[in-house]
Amino acid sequence: MHSLHHTISVLTNKPLLLTAVLFALLQVGLVLNPWTREVFKLASFDPEHWIMAFGVGSLMLVAVELWKAARSDSEERKNRQ
């Protein structure tokens, strides 16, 4: 019996992944460049704030991937019965 279940991962949609990476690099560039910080009234980050921003920004991605893994395991157990 073949499964119709298709696994989708973070790397499945390459254009979306590329866009997200480019957008993140643009944001970092705006914060690191003194001229753009002045124009957009941005504050510079110290290393602690960069770590916090990356961590908070990654929370939803990690949560969704964990949810998908748990759901997939649950479906596999249900199909074995």
Side-chain angles (χ1 to χ4, degrees):
M1 178 172 176
H2 294 282
S3 172
L4 297 176
H5 186 266
H6 184 270
T7 303
I8 298 174
S9 74
V10 176
L11 302 175
T12 302
N13 190 340
K14 303 259 189 242
L16 180 61
L17 182 62
L18 178 62
T19 301
V21 168
L22 289 175
F23 186 70
L25 290 174
L26 176 63
Q27 287 182 315
V28 169
L30 287 173
V31 172
L32 292 178
N33 186 328
W35 182 78
T36 56
R37 274 200 315 258
E38 180 74 24
V39 170
F40 294 105
K41 306 284 190 246
L42 302 172
S44 60
F45 279 14
D46 59 17
E48 181 181 313
H49 287 111
W50 281 112
I51 292 169
M52 190 180 338
F54 179 76
V56 169
S58 301
L59 280 177
M60 185 56 75
L61 174 66
V62 171
V64 168
E65 291 301 317
L66 288 173
W67 177 74
K68 288 190 313 188
R71 189 179 72 179
S72 176
D73 288 346
S74 144
E75 288 176 4
E76 284 180 20
R77 275 189 243 126
K78 190 184 295 184
N79 288 337
R80 278 189 248 148
Q81 293 178 357

